[in-house]
Amino acid sequence: MIRENLNHIHFEIRQAEKKYGRPPGSVRLIAVSKTKPMALIREAYAAGQLDFGENRVQELVDKHPQLPEVRWHMIGHLQRNKVKFIAPFIHLIHSVDSARLLEEIGRQAILHERIIPCLLQINISNEEQKGGFSEAECREVLENMDQYPGVLIRGLMGMAEFTDDEKVIQAQFRRLRLAFDGFQTLNGPAVQMEEISMGMSGDFEIAIAEGSTLVRVGSSIFGDRG
Ligand SMILES: *Cc1c(COP(=O)(O)O)cnc(C)c1O
């Protein structure tokens, strides 16, 4: 069942890459396994899925040792006092939404003698509860990366509004893409603007059309979370 779902999503991703003129293989699938048991995660891993996304530190801490080969992604709001628990192993933090959080991630990275790859989350939806930087705040961070040793900025992340209006979703994804393009001039030792994390089960095709490189898909792989 999980294998069939993964095959189906990969097919849809490939179709969208073709349809929108994206190079084949330019979009990577992150299987969002939050709330799902290890048995289902192992099933997906056995089917070849390597990247998994979680939105809670406790779940990452519980699941990571059971499948350390997996590339674990943090996609949910991260509290500064919990960074230390995921710092040793996290593959990519998508949800960096403040300068103080980035500072703490860098501090923990250095303690654990590694560089932690991060995406800066931009609030593209204008919904206050979604969180994230404004474009101006994001630029401010990118221009002052000497203040954040230990982190490597790999790109941006955003979430579109929860709506059926595809035009609204497309405009919000386009906004993230334009910010990403505008930040290319800031690339340097601590900034490699290469990834755009946008698109979920309901909207990843629109996200691919607008330039997504990482889609975060949960329910279409693992079923509804109830
Ligand atoms: C839960 C979640 C997803 C996956 O959502 P689905 O609709 O189940 O695909 C993607 N991104 C974030 C940040 C999430 O919290």
Side-chain angles (χ1 to χ4, degrees):
M1 185 63 177
I2 298 285
R3 184 181 293 268
E4 284 76 14
N5 292 349
L6 280 168
N7 285 343
H8 182 70
I9 302 287
H10 280 297
F11 175 78
E12 290 189 322
I13 290 173
R14 279 200 304 278
Q15 293 291 105
E17 284 173 342
K18 271 199 206 117
K19 185 169 168 189
Y20 299 107
R22 303 285 312 280
S26 57
V27 179
R28 189 153 40 118
L29 174 63
I30 299 182
V32 176
S33 48
K34 61 190 185 195
T35 78
K36 298 298 178 182
M38 282 312 292
L40 293 187
I41 297 174
R42 285 183 200 287
E43 215 176 309
Y45 181 69
Q49 179 63 33
L50 293 178
D51 292 273
F52 290 82
E54 293 280 343
N55 68 340
R56 286 174 196 277
V57 167
Q58 189 56 56
E59 243 178 297
L60 278 166
V61 167
D62 291 343
K63 288 173 172 177
H64 160 260
Q66 302 186 61
L67 213 45
E69 306 87 334
V70 152
R71 297 196 287 244
W72 293 100
H73 297 248
M74 176 60 180
I75 63 170
H77 176 66
L78 178 56
Q79 286 173 284
R80 274 182 301 141
N81 61 356
K82 294 190 176 164
V83 174
K84 58 179 174 282
F85 300 117
I86 62 170
F89 65 85
I90 200 73
H91 179 71
L92 179 65
I93 302 176
H94 293 229
S95 42
V96 178
D97 56 5
S98 77
R100 292 174 75 202
L101 173 61
L102 192 64
E103 208 171 84
E104 174 61 9
I105 294 169
R107 212 174 69 81
Q108 292 297 331
I110 288 164
L111 283 174
H112 293 277
E113 298 181 312
R114 62 179 298 230
I115 299 286
I116 299 185
C118 295
L119 305 179
L120 299 181
Q121 182 175 352
I122 295 195
N123 188 345
I124 49 173
S125 74
N126 301 311
E127 292 173 316
E128 201 52 49
Q129 73 273 19
K130 284 256 161 68
F133 294 99
S134 68
E135 282 91 337
E137 292 165 337
C138 194
R139 173 173 287 276
E140 170 88 20
V141 167
L142 293 169
E143 286 175 342
N144 292 287
M145 285 305 296
D146 51 332
Q147 291 176 26
Y148 312 100
V151 301
L152 172 63
I153 304 297
R154 294 280 301 141
L156 304 179
M157 183 270 223
M159 270 185 284
E161 209 171 295
F162 190 70
T163 169
D164 289 334
D165 189 341
E166 295 198 353
K167 286 270 182 327
V168 170
I169 296 171
Q170 184 185 37
Q172 294 178 352
F173 286 156
R174 185 157 298 177
R175 182 173 158 187
L176 192 63
R177 169 59 191 271
L178 290 173
F180 173 85
D181 291 344
F183 294 149
Q184 290 299 323
T185 56
L186 300 173
N187 282 329
V191 179
Q192 297 172 352
M193 271 292 148
E194 290 175 5
E195 306 283 3
I196 310 181
S197 171
M198 61 183 183
M200 323 199 329
S201 292
D203 58 18
F204 72 82
E205 187 179 348
I206 306 170
I208 292 170
E210 295 301 324
S212 174
T213 66
L214 300 170
V215 292
R216 311 178 307 268
V217 177
S219 45
S220 293
I221 299 170
F222 296 110
D224 287 335
R225 286 176 297 271

